[in-house]
Amino acid sequence: MISISHAINTNRLLADLPSAEQAALAACCEVVPLAFGEVIYQPTDTVTYAYFPIDSFVSNIVILNNDSRLEVTMAGFEGMLGIALVLGFNKAPLLAVVQGAGVALRIPATQFQALLPSSPTLHQRLIRYLYIVMNQLANSAACIHFHRIEERLARWLLMTQDRAQSDHLQLTHEFLAMMLGVRRAGITLAALALQQRGLISYHRGDIIILDRSGLVAAACQCYTQDCALYANAMATP
């Protein structure tokens, strides 16, 4: 298990905080493992912990019924889970499921909220991250409606690769279909098209990214827009 100080400096929201804020944070958090498929929050659950992923990543999923699920945002080392706590709410709005196993920093919700008034840099970064998430949610709605499955699949693979920090991904057709809210047959055709273009290799749930720049070109513009939004929002003085 990695140290708390290393974990703090790995998550992009927490890295390079003033030393006093880092020390206050370190005093009330712990490093915990997150297993693939683990449910962090169910919709309407009371949020008892905030999580800052380190090398893990989590999908936030809307549930309409047992058969209709759709991923709307993803959080890895660039973000956090439990952002509603920043607004004073302690109810989870979405299903949060671990998509990539690893570790995360975990902080009790009450202690996390108590930190914010005396941690202005952290508080500012979290407000900016909340702005990013709001934009991602809006963009996801438009992307689902207007963009082809092949473009959306390319975008989603890039998002996953960024957070997994690996070219090798383990993803079944069934899982991809659920994440993108489409039929399994649609994923099969889209994955085949990307493979025929030499962008990925896909065999029995084993995906290898072969040509990242080509995959960026194949993805809808939502991917580059999301990257630019994060960079600009977090860099604003």
Side-chain angles (χ1 to χ4, degrees):
M1 191 73 70
I2 65 174
S3 68
I4 289 177
S5 61
H6 177 73
I8 288 175
N9 284 294
T10 300
N11 183 281
R12 291 177 66 182
L13 294 177
L14 307 179
D16 303 319
L17 288 173
S19 56
E21 293 190 26
Q22 282 206 358
L25 187 68
C28 62
C29 66
E30 60 180 336
V31 178
V32 296
L34 299 182
F36 175 76
E38 179 180 350
V39 175
I40 305 299
Y41 309 130
Q42 292 277 5
T44 73
D45 274 357
T46 297
V47 177
T48 54
Y49 291 97
Y51 292 83
F52 291 85
I54 306 306
D55 59 356
S56 57
F57 50 103
V58 179
S59 293
N60 290 302
I61 300 168
V62 172
I63 303 176
L64 296 182
N65 53 55
N66 288 336
D67 298 319
S68 300
R69 300 185 176 202
L70 177 69
E71 182 192 76
V72 289
T73 64
M74 188 187 302
F77 66 93
E78 86 297 339
M80 70 164 294
L81 298 167
I83 190 66
L85 294 170
V86 178
L87 298 175
F89 291 94
N90 67 348
K91 296 295 182 183
L94 302 168
L95 172 67
V97 179
V98 178
Q99 180 187 312
V103 299
L105 278 173
R106 186 175 74 176
I107 310 169
T110 52
Q111 291 180 275
F112 172 71
Q113 290 177 312
L115 273 178
L116 296 181
S118 59
S119 302
T121 302
L122 174 61
H123 197 182
Q124 182 187 57
R125 289 184 185 179
L126 294 177
I127 290 172
R128 291 177 180 176
Y129 180 65
L130 178 59
Y131 169 79
I132 291 167
V133 172
M134 290 170 58
N135 275 271
Q136 288 175 342
L137 288 167
N139 288 342
S140 290
C143 181
I144 292 162
H145 184 75
F146 291 109
H147 295 152
R148 295 181 297 114
I149 297 175
E150 183 180 330
E151 294 176 310
R152 292 173 55 208
L153 176 60
R155 175 199 180 199
W156 194 87
L157 291 175
L158 288 164
M159 292 167 57
T160 304
Q161 182 191 29
D162 289 343
R163 291 159 178 83
Q165 301 183 66
S166 172
D167 295 335
H168 197 159
L169 309 172
Q170 294 288 331
L171 301 163
T172 65
H173 279 192
E174 289 82 5
F175 183 80
L176 289 169
M178 182 182 74
M179 289 297 98
L180 296 181
V182 299
R183 295 178 183 273
R184 186 180 182 278
I187 292 295
T188 300
L189 292 174
L192 180 61
L194 296 177
Q195 183 164 256
Q196 289 174 338
R197 294 168 63 180
L199 305 180
I200 66 171
S201 169
Y202 191 19
H203 181 65
R204 294 184 178 179
D206 187 25
I207 297 179
I208 300 175
I209 308 298
L210 301 176
D211 181 357
R212 178 177 170 84
S213 61
L215 200 60
V216 172
C220 55
Q221 69 267 30
C222 299
Y223 175 72
T224 53
Q225 288 173 352
D226 282 349
C227 292
L229 172 66
Y230 187 96
N232 293 334
M234 299 309 292
T236 302

